């Protein structure tokens, strides 16, 4: 981050543009970037912080359309007005905040910022919008860049609470990630030390974090973290009261001197001694239904003791943290149930002579998105191996149940109709599913793999609206197996389907996958397929397990909200004669 903007700017420099006469708020008194915008988004005034952060003088900012001048996407391109959240807040006259926005500085570089916009009134009664913004530098939250020690103004307090709401409620976080964001939020702006104690789901107390800042970096004291003694029912000590849900309490080293009533009080005495804190406040982290833990802020370097306003601010932040932690716990519980259900629905892989076969399943980011993605592979009585990849339309328990129905029906048809072409089996499945299975539509590839007496590996398949499988040679050439395409299951059950056939070269890898691997809100399916082909070619020489793991991690788009199923098969460089595998036990 650059030097303090106030040291390099003229504190009183403010344009005398139209609309500022009689406006009582001094923008330069705010310890963060500030802009005043009219109802059209035109900049009426900026403070010294904003000028330095944006590398633009006031004369270049005032009178300009704020969106056109500053707002950019992450690549530096012009952000469409329809996607501008700040503009929507201005037009609606509402308070709003967000993180991860981009502004173009005067030198052409991009500044990643968080902002809070709130309506205000000018001196003549006209409405305007005050925008406070903070840089997100090197992955650090804005609160760490405000500078520690100075009293917090009311506007800074509101901005910090708005940031707490945004940061703690962002996405579907795990409990650990939520608590780590909480620590980053309060250090060092509010304190030199932050201590988070968590009541576990077994009603035990775990000291999750003891953290402080050194050279603008959060450093953990892992030697002070870990399990704590039980919470006493009647103890008047601050931490014990907070963990029982009592109001925030101030403490100091003297609080824990003399005879103590519990083991947890002894741990607090040790905490004060090890950290050098001279003043601390502790607030309960309370969720909607129960107390989740406690947050303690302590000062050792900042000389000022905590005030009543600091306690009120801590209580506001801890309430938001409690809601976030409880939501994170609920999310984790739902995710465990969903993953367990999905994995139990997916089959174990069979033993396939001379061939390597592996599968992967990655659940959706949303715990409720159980999904209908599935894979299957099973030996047929004539020695061939059936390979399946599919995706039932929908992301709920109904989709997962429909997936299980289709899989079981397909196994039955494939087993009883020996040596039938894949297309005929899927035609029969489609016809029956329209009357029996509880699904609307599904995509699927059903393939039949045979090793001939001459040692060739023959693959025949039919495709019901699914992404084409890839064939990757040992030399890194990637081929899309585009043949055998037909409509989705459930669209036209009476329509005839076609087959395709190919020989798998020695050393090649056959990859079946679902669309969650290549499609996401952040990129098109064409972009995803291009990346998948490139990564598959680069990994062609890897052992199959490594190939599959790395391909999944590299090709899947960050933030993908869909589950992914993969089935990969590796052909050895030399194949022996086929074996009778009809009575082989299934294996993992």
């Amino acid at each position: 981050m650059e030097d303090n903007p106030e040291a390099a700017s003229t504190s009183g420099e403010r344009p005398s543009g139209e609309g500022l006469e009689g406006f009582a708020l001094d923008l330069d008194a705010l310890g963060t970037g500030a802009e005043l915008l009219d109802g059209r988004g035109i900049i009426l005034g900026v403070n010294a912080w904003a000028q330095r952060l944006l590398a633009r003088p006031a004369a270049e900012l005032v009178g300009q359309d704020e969106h056109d001048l500053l707002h950019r996407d992450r690549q530096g391109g012009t952000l469409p007005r329809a996607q501008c959240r700040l503009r929507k807040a201005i037009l609606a006259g509402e308070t709003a905040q967000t993180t991860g926005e981009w502004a173009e500085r005067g030198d052409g570089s991009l500044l990643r910022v968080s902002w809070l916009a709130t309506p205000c009134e000018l001196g003549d009664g006209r409405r305007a919008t005050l925008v406070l913004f903070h840089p997100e530098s090197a992955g650090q939250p804005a609160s760490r860049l405000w500078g520690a020690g100075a009293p917090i103004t009311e506007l800074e307090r509101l901005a910090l609470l708005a940031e707490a709401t945004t940061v703690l409620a962002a996405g579907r976080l795990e409990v650990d990630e939520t608590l780590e964001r909480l620590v980053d939020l309060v250090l060092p702006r509010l304190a030199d030390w932050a201590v988070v104690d968590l009541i576990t789901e077994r009603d035990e107390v775990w000291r999750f974090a003891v953290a402080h800042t050194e050279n603008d970096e959060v450093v953990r004291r892992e030697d002070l973290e870990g399990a704590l003694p039980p919470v006493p029912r009647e103890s008047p000590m601050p931490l014990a009261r907070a963990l029982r849900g009592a109001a925030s309490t101030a403490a100091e080293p003297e609080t824990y001197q003399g005879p103590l009533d519990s083991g947890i009080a002894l741990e607090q005495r040790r905490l004060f001694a090890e950290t050098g804190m001279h003043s601390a406040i502790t607030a309960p982290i309370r969720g909607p239904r129960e107390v989740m833990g406690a947050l303690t802020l302590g000062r050792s370097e900042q000389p000022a003791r905590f005030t009543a306003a600091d306690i009120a601010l801590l209580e506001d932040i801890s309430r938001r943290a409690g809601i976030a932690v409880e939501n994170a716990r609920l999310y984790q519980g739902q995710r465990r149930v969903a993953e367990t259900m999905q994995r139990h629905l997916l089959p174990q892989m069979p033993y396939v002579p001379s061939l390597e076969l592996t599968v992967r399943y990655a659940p959706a980011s949303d715990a409720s998105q159980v999904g209908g993605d599935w894979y299957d592979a099973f030996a047929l009585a004539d020695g061939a191996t059936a390979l399946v990849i599919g995706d039932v339309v929908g992301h709920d328990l109904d989709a997962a149940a429909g997936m299980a129905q289709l899989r079981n029906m397909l196994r039955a048809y494939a087993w009883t109709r020996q040596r039938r072409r894949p297309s005929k089996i899927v035609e029969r499945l489609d016809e029956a599913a329209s009357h029996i299975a509880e699904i609307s539509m599904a995509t699927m590839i059903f393939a039949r793999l045979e090793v001939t007496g001459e040692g060739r590996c023959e693959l025949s398949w039919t495709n019901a609206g699914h992404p084409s499988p890839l064939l990757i040679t040992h030399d890194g050439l990637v081929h899309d197996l585009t043949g055998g395409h037909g409509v989705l299951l459930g669209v036209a059950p009476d329509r005839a389907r076609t087959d395709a056939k190919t020989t798998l070269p020695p050393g090649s890898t056959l990859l079946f996958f679902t669309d969650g691997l290549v499609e996401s809100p952040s990129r098109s399916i064409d972009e995803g397929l291009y990346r998948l082909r490139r990564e598959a070619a680069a990994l062609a020489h890897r052992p199959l397990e490594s190939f599959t793991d790395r391909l999944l991690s590299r090709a899947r788009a960050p933030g993908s909200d869909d589950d992914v199923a993969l089935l990969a098969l590796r052909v050895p460089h030399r194949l022996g004669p086929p074996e009778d595998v009809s009575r082989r036990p299934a294996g993992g």
Side-chain angles (χ1 to χ4, degrees):
M1 184 60 209
E2 299 185 57
D3 296 335
N4 188 327
E6 293 179 336
S9 303
T10 304
S11 176
E13 183 180 352
R14 181 203 290 172
S16 56
E18 179 185 354
L20 289 181
E21 294 84 353
F23 186 58
L25 178 63
D26 182 2
L27 297 182
D28 281 335
L30 304 176
T32 187
E35 304 171 314
L36 189 67
L37 310 179
D38 70 7
R40 300 170 299 161
I42 303 300
I43 301 174
L44 299 176
V46 295
N47 69 353
W49 277 86
Q51 294 172 60
R52 181 60 185 275
L53 292 174
L54 296 172
R56 298 176 184 269
E60 185 179 322
L61 293 164
V62 174
Q64 299 297 315
D65 185 295
E66 201 259 6
H67 174 83
D68 293 344
L69 182 66
L70 301 177
H71 294 192
R72 301 292 182 266
D73 60 26
R74 67 177 60 194
Q75 285 80 35
T78 301
L79 186 70
R81 285 177 174 263
Q83 297 179 15
C84 180
R85 284 173 282 189
L86 177 57
R87 182 172 176 80
K88 291 179 182 178
I90 294 172
L91 294 176
E94 297 175 346
T95 297
Q97 70 277 325
T98 190
T99 60
E101 299 278 309
W102 296 92
E104 183 177 298
R105 305 176 77 235
D107 58 7
S109 63
L110 296 178
L111 179 69
R112 186 181 174 95
V113 298
S114 300
W115 54 257
L116 166 71
T118 185
C120 61
E121 192 170 293
L122 300 178
D124 57 3
R126 286 186 295 147
R127 304 291 293 175
T129 298
L130 176 65
V131 181
L132 305 179
F133 65 94
H134 317 281
E136 296 179 11
S137 176
Q140 297 177 339
S143 56
R144 198 183 302 168
L145 302 170
W146 288 351
I152 294 178
T153 67
E154 182 63 20
L155 277 172
E156 287 178 333
R157 179 178 181 274
L158 291 174
L160 181 55
L161 288 176
E163 185 184 356
T165 301
T166 301
V167 168
L168 295 176
R172 298 175 177 89
L173 304 178
E174 304 289 343
V175 172
D176 287 3
E177 186 179 358
T178 299
L179 295 176
E180 287 167 357
R181 289 191 175 195
L182 176 61
V183 169
D184 284 341
L185 186 71
V186 298
L187 292 181
R189 185 62 185 98
L190 299 180
D192 301 311
W193 292 86
V195 182
V196 178
D197 297 311
L198 188 65
I199 299 175
T200 70
E201 295 172 346
R202 297 183 178 181
D203 288 330
E204 299 170 344
V205 183
W206 183 266
R207 180 145 282 172
F208 172 82
V210 178
H212 67 113
T213 53
E214 291 181 3
N215 299 321
D216 290 330
E217 293 291 332
V218 173
V219 178
R220 299 278 287 270
R221 281 289 303 270
E222 295 182 2
D223 58 310
L224 299 177
E225 299 171 357
L228 292 181
V231 181
R233 293 184 178 180
E234 304 295 336
S235 173
M237 293 297 181
L239 178 58
R241 295 181 72 248
L243 290 171
R244 297 197 304 265
S248 302
T249 309
E252 54 190 20
E254 290 73 21
T255 305
Y256 292 95
Q257 298 304 315
L260 298 176
D261 60 1
S262 64
I264 202 168
L266 286 171
E267 286 295 328
Q268 287 299 89
R269 175 190 288 175
R270 177 182 172 223
L271 177 70
F272 273 89
E274 291 286 341
T275 61
M277 293 188 300
H278 62 75
S279 176
I281 48 176
T282 301
I285 299 175
R286 186 187 293 107
R289 298 181 299 176
E290 60 184 340
V291 178
M292 318 297 293
L295 172 61
T296 298
L297 301 183
R299 288 178 177 170
S300 56
E301 303 297 328
Q302 301 180 40
R305 292 182 175 273
F306 290 103
T307 65
D310 293 329
I311 293 177
L313 178 58
L314 175 62
E315 288 178 339
D316 283 338
I317 292 175
S318 64
R319 275 194 293 270
R320 287 162 171 78
I323 295 172
V325 171
E326 183 159 325
N327 287 340
R329 280 186 173 174
L330 290 172
Y331 166 66
Q332 284 183 230
Q334 291 172 348
R335 187 178 182 87
R336 284 195 296 268
V337 171
E339 287 186 27
T340 300
M341 176 183 176
Q342 184 80 354
R343 292 186 189 283
H344 278 292
L345 290 173
L346 295 171
Q348 296 265 329
M349 288 297 97
Y351 169 77
V352 181
S354 304
L355 301 177
E356 294 181 70
L357 183 66
T358 191
V359 292
R360 294 292 184 273
Y361 174 75
S365 57
D366 185 345
S368 66
Q369 305 287 295
V370 179
D373 291 26
W374 96 94
Y375 54 74
D376 202 358
F378 49 95
L380 299 173
D382 60 2
T385 300
L387 303 174
V388 187
I389 193 81
D391 186 359
V392 173
V393 173
H395 294 93
D396 50 29
L397 292 175
D398 289 340
M403 173 268 287
Q405 290 175 325
L406 274 185
R407 185 196 70 192
N408 294 335
M409 292 170 62
L410 178 61
R411 281 192 166 209
Y413 285 133
W415 182 264
T416 58
R417 297 171 179 267
Q418 296 295 324
R419 297 193 179 279
R420 292 290 184 92
R421 297 196 305 272
S423 61
K424 297 304 179 184
I425 293 174
V426 175
E427 285 174 6
R428 180 61 176 156
L429 174 70
D430 197 3
E431 181 183 356
S434 64
H435 300 285
I436 299 174
E438 299 174 4
I439 64 168
S440 56
M441 291 184 293
T443 68
M444 188 185 71
I445 296 175
F446 175 62
R448 178 184 172 91
L449 183 70
E450 296 183 73
V451 178
T452 68
E454 296 77 23
R456 293 196 307 273
C457 196
E458 303 283 355
L459 181 76
S460 58
W461 73 95
T462 190
N463 188 330
H466 198 83
S468 300
L470 298 184
L471 180 62
I472 306 101
T473 69
H474 182 69
D475 296 326
L477 298 177
V478 180
H479 304 278
D480 294 90
L481 301 185
T482 57
H485 259 284
V487 298
L488 283 69
L489 297 177
V491 172
D494 57 348
R495 184 176 299 181
R497 297 184 178 274
T498 60
D499 294 279
K501 190 172 184 179
T502 192
T503 300
L504 305 183
S508 64
T509 303
L510 178 65
L511 179 69
F512 296 91
F513 58 93
T514 56
D515 59 4
L517 183 63
V518 294
E519 190 173 21
S520 77
S522 63
R523 70 184 185 194
S524 70
I525 192 169
D526 289 337
E527 293 173 322
L529 287 170
Y530 172 78
R531 183 176 181 87
L532 175 63
R533 295 186 192 102
R534 186 180 65 183
E535 297 295 346
L539 296 168
H541 286 79
R542 291 256 181 188
L544 188 61
E545 297 292 333
S546 175
F547 169 90
T548 311
D549 286 333
R550 289 179 177 268
L551 188 65
L552 180 59
S553 64
R554 290 184 185 182
R556 191 182 190 189
S560 174
D561 56 1
D562 198 1
D563 50 348
V564 177
L566 291 178
L567 187 154
L569 180 142
R570 175 70 53 79
V571 180
H573 287 279
R574 296 186 65 180
L575 271 173
E579 300 179 27
D580 181 7
V581 297
S582 60
R583 301 187 181 276
R584 289 272 191 180

